[in-house]
Amino acid sequence: AAGGPLRYSVREELPHGAFVGSVASDLGVDPRRLAARGARLTSGSGRQYLELELGRGALLVRERMDRETLCELNPTCFLSLELVIEQPIEVHNVEVEVLDINDNAPRFPRQDYRLEISESAVPGARFPIESAQDPDVGTNSVQSYQLSPSRHFALDLKGFQSGSKLLELVLQQPLDREQSALQQLVLTAVDGGDPPKSGTAQISVRVVDTNDNPPAFDRSTYTVSLLENALPGTLVVKLNASDPDEGSNGDVIYSFSSYTPQKVRQLFSVDPHSGEVRVNGTLDYEESSSYEIYVQATDQGPVSMAGHCKVLVNIVDANDNAPEVVLTSLYSPVPEDAKAGTVVALMSVTDQDSGLNKQVSLRIPPGLPFTLNSFKNSYTLVTQGKLDHEKAAAYNITVTATDSGSPPLSSQKVIHVEISDINDNPPRFEEPVYSVYIPENNPLGVLLCTIKATDPDIAENAYVSYSLLDGEIEGLPVTSYVSIKSDSGNMYAVRSFDYETLREFQVVVQAQDAGIPPLSSTVTVYIYVVDENDHAPQILYPTSTNTSAALEMIPRSAYAGYLVTKIIAIDGDSGQNAWLFFHLVHTSDPGMFRIELHTGEIRTTRKLGEDSTPTFNLTVEVRDNGEPPMSSSVAITVAVVDRVSKIIPDTRRHIKSPSNYSEITLYLIIALSAISFVFLFTIIGLTVIKCYRYSLYGDSCCAGFCGVRERSPAELYKQANNNIDARLPHGLKVQPHFIEVRGNGSLTKTYCYKACLTAGSGSDTFMFYNTCGPTGTTGPSAVMTERHLTGQSGQSAQNLIILKNDSITPNEPKHPNPDWRYSASLRAGMQRGEPYHLTMISAYSVLCIWRRQESYVEDQEGLISSGQLSPVLLQVR
């Protein structure tokens, strides 16, 4: 049987294993006996929140408990358990009270309460609000409420204190939607726990409007200035009227008031919703300079209310006419070589306005080769720079006319001016020089190259034709080698070129346009003939015929490496095509001979034996290095003899007919005779000329025949100035030279003189001897004066010394006077003795000059062989 129930209390939300009470102690039983008797707890709910610890006999929390879940809103909460003990069976009732803790905050049914209250509501009006709920019990439940500060509302808690679940919100002061359309309040519920917890709710109070305000404009009078040329639809002013009411009470409609005249209603319109006043007709400043518009704004409330304003529109005289450019004359196209100042176009300008609005100026864009000249309202477009059709074939000139109005109005007119081309550009070749490489043996008419020239001109001025300039190549005209197509510039070969005959040549191509006059340019085309392997090697030695082979002999005692013969061959080609290689293609004894690949030397490879065959037959092939290679061959018979000198050659190859020998002999005799005759004639001629020269100079020694010889001019010079030899270097021989002395004035003929020059003279004195006085002058006292000698610098020799003047004796034969062959002015110049000019003279030289005053014939030594002689000795430094 069971005794009274066991009562325990435990707080909610305790963790697993929390101690509730000692069952063994309360029953007075040893904990070990409880375990031995199988004590256990049972619950009718099916969920075990508590458990029995047999070791201690204690009641523990098995699972966390939530009082609000177990008992909801009951003020008390108990768990009923049964403790069953066996042997013998005992059943004890256990009641465990779950105590509440403040684990829940107050919560309103809604987080946001929305109230709509008319602004016409009177103070004291009440508005109910649901109270907050708290699952906790006792003091842990809701104990008080708080409302955020507000001068319009207060919270009445009398119902809450009497146990009602509704709260009341009381209006304290009248509402005005125009001042505050929305009131935001916060209601707070606080429980009595420790620490206390709270919950809040938002209360939004929207003030409902009533039509208690009329529309009002932001200004009572609007003043607007409007141009007279304002188009219909132009915005005059945008009116703004506001109504603080809402809804239809605040909707504003704009309209003309009854004070607005009918004329104004025709010229202007007002938008009923936006309040925009726009032009509805044509304004004219001369008709009316201002307009007054009366506008009213009306709301849409049950009892509508209205506001009024006035719009004063002042009309402004505007620059409403743009200037107009009228093209009177246009002279296009303009040649590109037109001079600056050439008139291109004539223009006039008009403007319908008056005053400053009528004053117009014209301009064109900068950077154009044109300019404007004005005269009142007329303008001329003229050129001011160089025109070039190749840079700009046409110009679109934008003429801008601007008046002086405010703001200024402008208009534009585009004048299209074309530039006509003239032939001012010669053709230009794409390449400065053309180089063409053509293989030899080319077919006739093969294309060598294409010459291309361009001309920046247009039409016929740009049409280029090609031609070959006249010239010769190895004595033949250029056209016999190449030709060129006049329209395309294609150059073709007229003949087949042979590298061995002509390796390179050049032609000049002319490109000429079709302008008037035509312009042309030239370019040089270098044509190089490329060698091909078109010549087979030619074997010069030894030679063989189709019937017999070349014969070579070797002694029987020839040793290994003995030179049998050497193949001499040439190739008409060049480069690698002329590289020759020698091959022994056939031999009667393959191991007996060998041939050098590059030199063509045939040598023995071993010593000949006593039993060697008497002859060997060889075939040598000479092959070049062309692609494909070409070759020639020669057959050689090698005869083995005891002694080479006694071997009789094959007379069939060397003995020629007697007629051939007789012809050669005849040619040799004729050649030797001709050479001997020419040589003999040359010796005789030189001897005669030499003797004739000495006879002219008074020398009696000619061609080896000795006689009495007069003193030479050099000796005269030494006698006149013996101290010169002392200054000459020892062993220095004076060699004759020729210098050129020119006369000035009327004597313009050039004379040559024989000069004896030396580099050892140290004097800067000119010494002059003249043995030929003027006609009719005799005696040793005749002296030529006023003689001047000048060098190339043109400076006169001031220290002129006349050493000697010997006249020709009457008995001495004279040559005829040749002066009849000259004009009177030349003869006068010769008689006057014009100053001499030396065009070539050596420093530190002794000059022995033979002067001749007539025409001359130059012999092989450059000596003048006729006329009167005037020896002149010059010492030049």
Side-chain angles (χ1 to χ4, degrees), residues 729-752:
H730 178 70
L732 176 63
K733 296 182 179 181
V734 178
Q735 299 295 333
H737 299 279
F738 293 91
I739 64 174
E740 185 176 270
V741 180
R742 298 182 183 270
N744 59 6
S746 61
L747 185 58
T748 59
K749 184 168 287 294
T750 301
Y751 300 96
C752 292

Side-chain angles (χ1 to χ4, degrees), residues 799-871:
N799 50 355
L800 175 66
I801 301 175
I802 302 177
L803 299 178
K804 184 178 180 181
N805 182 21
D806 295 334
S807 62
I808 302 175
T809 61
N811 297 328
E812 186 177 356
K814 294 183 179 180
H815 294 282
N817 192 342
D819 291 347
W820 61 273
R821 290 175 292 178
Y822 302 103
S823 63
S825 61
L826 290 178
R827 289 197 300 271
M830 289 187 290
Q831 292 175 1
R832 287 194 304 267
E834 298 296 337
Y836 302 131
H837 292 274
L838 300 180
T839 59
M840 179 183 74
I841 191 165
S842 302
Y844 298 97
S845 302
V846 177
L847 307 182
C848 300
I849 303 175
W850 295 85
R851 180 176 177 274
R852 194 173 296 277
Q853 292 184 346
E854 63 172 341
S855 63
Y856 58 89
V857 177
E858 186 176 295
D859 61 6
Q860 62 180 358
E861 296 183 6
L863 186 64
I864 303 169
S865 60
S866 65
Q868 297 178 348
L869 297 177
S870 297

Side-chain angles (χ1 to χ4, degrees), residues 14-37:
L14 289 179
H16 171 73
F19 180 79
V20 178
S22 178
V23 175
S25 176
D26 292 338
L27 293 177
V29 180
D30 188 1
R32 289 177 294 178
R33 289 184 58 83
L34 290 176
R37 296 178 59 182

Side-chain angles (χ1 to χ4, degrees), residues 45 49 78 115 170 236 391 396 427 432 446 518 551 673 681 692 713 822:
S45 62
Y49 290 97
F78 290 94
L115 301 178
V170 181
V236 178
K391 293 182 179 179
N396 289 323
V446 66
L551 179 62
S673 300
F681 180 78
Y692 183 70
Y822 302 103

